[in-house]
Amino acid sequence: MASPYPDGDREKVASKLPSALQQALKVRAAELSVDIQDAVEAAVNDWRGSTSSGAEVDTSGAKSFSTWLPPGLYEQFKETCTDRGISYTQGLAQSIRDWLDANPSPQHGARGTDPERKIVGNQKGGVGKTAISAGIGEAYAEAGKRVLVVDFDPQGHLSEQLGVPQIEPNHDSLVSHMCGEGRGDLRDLVVEIDDPRYQKRLHVLPACFDGFLLDAKIAVVATQKRGFQKEAALELALRPLEADYDVIIVDCPPSLGIAMDAALYYGRRRRGEPAGVSGVIIPVLAEDSSATAYGMLAQQIEDLCEDLSLDMDYLGLVVNLYDSRRGYVATSSLDNWKSLGDPKVLAIIGDLKEQREAVRKRMPLLTYAPHSDQAEAMRQVARGATR
């Protein structure tokens, strides 16, 4: 391969880098109008100039990565890796990660403190809302974004799957803050997922058993407090946390009630926010009952938008637990979902074992099986649901 740089200005370097970091580097360089080679050069120089190698990056499954660096820089980089007792792949991964952290996306800065808000919902249970909420949260965090996943379903499956205890009744919780009864800082309830893959960027707001009474509690508050807008209750509770995150994901219960209205309101397009940044992700199955539930949710969204003059974006559908061996019902249903066009199908996730095994072990899917088809599908959904 001929060098694109004349007069020996640069030399080709062949190494390895995790696919998530490769993707994040490509996107960030494009956002900042920086050549990828220049970004890698800056990353390596800054890393070599730091006093230590920093936190370890999970490089399992790293893939081939080629770039062009000034002559001699890669040899100097390898010497630094040897001095610090780490592999060249680990050193490059740390360099790129640190560069991404030091050069944040201008998309976040342009929106001030408004994070991207992804509402994962469907009126049918068992379609994989929880698995997809957790999976895309892991994918965003893996790619360098600060993520809060809100377990908004009182059944608490997301909290349980990630090994996070639910909040007991009559304790400070998201529900109490939504009802104006919060006794402390909601940040104190947030749990960090302790896993080096996410570099302290993946947080969970646990479910609480009081959530089963949320609709009734909010209805009572609405009658007692003049000017209280029940649909805005979730937003009022989460607003103080927003500056801490790039993405907030809400795992919703299968509900037609006030709680779902509040989640949808939270995911509306805010004033000045570009279309397609925040909105609704809808997991479905390739079967008729999912189509019925989708119609119910679409009607709820339409009614809410009409009543409150909102703009709501459908970020896409995720066809989950798909297995073509189930025959005509599955294949024809998949064709029907694809034919909608808008919302688009973000990914088709097979009915595979890794997600179930991760749940049994109470581990994030992208930690348990980072190179599985299901894990890659979660990354695909996250990419597709981001403008």
Side-chain angles (χ1 to χ4, degrees):
M1 177 178 173
S3 170
Y5 298 95
D7 304 324
D9 290 342
R10 288 180 180 257
E11 59 185 5
K12 185 179 180 183
V13 172
S15 186
K16 290 185 176 182
L17 192 65
S19 56
L21 281 178
Q22 292 190 34
Q23 176 67 19
L25 173 63
K26 180 179 179 181
V27 171
R28 191 66 50 79
E31 290 178 332
L32 299 173
S33 299
V34 174
D35 189 280
I36 289 179
Q37 284 76 19
D38 292 335
V40 176
E41 177 186 352
V44 169
N45 280 324
D46 290 345
W47 180 79
R48 290 186 62 244
S50 64
T51 57
S52 65
S53 60
E56 185 175 350
V57 177
D58 183 357
T59 59
S60 56
K63 297 182 179 180
S64 297
F65 175 75
S66 297
T67 189
W68 300 84
L69 295 177
L73 179 57
Y74 192 54
E75 291 303 317
Q76 297 169 359
F77 164 76
K78 291 193 290 186
E79 291 175 3
T80 304
C81 290
T82 300
D83 292 342
R84 295 181 182 180
I86 61 176
S87 68
Y88 304 152
T89 300
Q90 178 64 214
L92 183 60
Q94 290 183 13
S95 301
I96 300 302
R97 179 205 58 199
D98 293 349
W99 183 85
L100 290 167
D101 289 344
N103 296 271
S105 169
Q107 293 296 322
H108 178 68
R111 294 194 301 273
T113 58
D114 284 356
E116 301 176 29
R117 301 171 312 286
K118 318 294 185 182
I119 311 303
V120 183
N122 194 326
Q123 305 305 353
K124 177 177 171 57
V127 297
K129 295 186 293 293
T130 294
I132 291 163
S133 296
I136 64 173
E138 295 157 25
Y140 282 125
E142 179 188 65
K145 294 191 175 185
R146 303 167 300 163
V147 182
L148 175 66
V149 185
V150 179
D151 191 350
F152 198 44
D153 188 338
Q155 297 177 88
H157 293 317
L158 188 145
S159 301
E160 181 179 356
Q161 287 183 18
L162 296 178
V164 175
Q166 280 202 63
I167 297 172
E168 295 292 333
N170 302 317
H171 284 66
D172 205 25
S173 67
L174 176 60
V175 170
S176 64
H177 282 260
M178 288 178 66
C179 295
E181 301 170 349
R183 297 188 291 272
D185 190 331
L186 196 59
R187 289 182 181 84
D188 295 338
L189 305 178
V190 171
V191 178
E192 177 187 304
I193 299 301
D194 185 14
D195 188 308
R197 174 173 290 272
Y198 313 114
Q199 296 294 312
K200 301 183 181 298
R201 291 187 292 260
L202 180 59
H203 297 169
V204 174
L205 182 56
C208 53
F209 293 103
D210 287 346
F212 286 108
L213 304 175
L214 179 60
D215 280 10
K217 284 176 174 285
I218 290 182
V220 170
V221 174
T223 63
Q224 294 175 341
K225 292 186 178 181
R226 187 174 181 179
F228 179 84
Q229 183 183 354
K230 58 184 183 295
E231 294 87 359
L234 180 61
E235 178 158 308
L236 290 173
L238 293 179
R239 270 288 197 179
L241 280 65
E242 289 189 353
D244 298 336
Y245 298 101
D246 302 303
V247 183
I248 295 180
I249 299 164
V250 181
D251 178 31
C252 297
S255 165
L256 287 168
I258 296 173
M260 191 65 198
D261 279 348
L264 293 171
Y265 182 88
Y266 186 60
R268 77 195 185 284
R269 192 190 314 161
R270 291 177 177 172
R271 181 176 298 178
E273 186 175 35
V277 171
S278 299
V280 187
I281 299 172
I282 307 174
V284 297
L285 302 180
E287 60 177 41
D288 294 342
S289 61
S290 269
T292 301
Y294 167 75
M296 295 167 64
L297 177 60
Q299 187 62 55
Q300 184 173 5
I301 292 172
E302 182 179 333
D303 291 344
L304 187 68
C305 289
E306 183 175 345
D307 291 345
L308 300 178
S309 299
L310 309 179
D311 289 319
M312 187 82 61
D313 292 319
Y314 288 85
L315 301 180
L317 304 171
V318 180
V319 182
N320 194 31
L321 303 176
Y322 179 72
D323 187 346
S324 61
R325 295 174 298 178
R326 291 175 180 153
Y328 173 74
V329 171
T331 56
S332 61
S333 294
L334 177 60
D335 289 341
N336 289 338
W337 290 125
K338 289 180 176 179
S339 69
L340 286 178
D342 185 16
K344 62 186 176 182
V345 173
L346 298 172
I348 302 166
I349 303 179
D351 187 5
L352 304 173
K353 65 178 182 177
E354 287 82 4
Q355 177 64 44
R356 292 190 292 272
E357 291 174 350
V359 170
R360 174 65 64 87
K361 291 180 175 291
R362 295 191 174 186
M363 293 175 62
L365 171 65
L366 271 65
T367 298
Y368 175 73
H371 312 299
S372 65
D373 289 345
Q374 286 174 314
E376 185 53 41
M378 297 301 179
R379 298 183 183 104
Q380 182 179 335
V381 174
R383 291 192 296 267
T386 299
R387 186 177 184 272

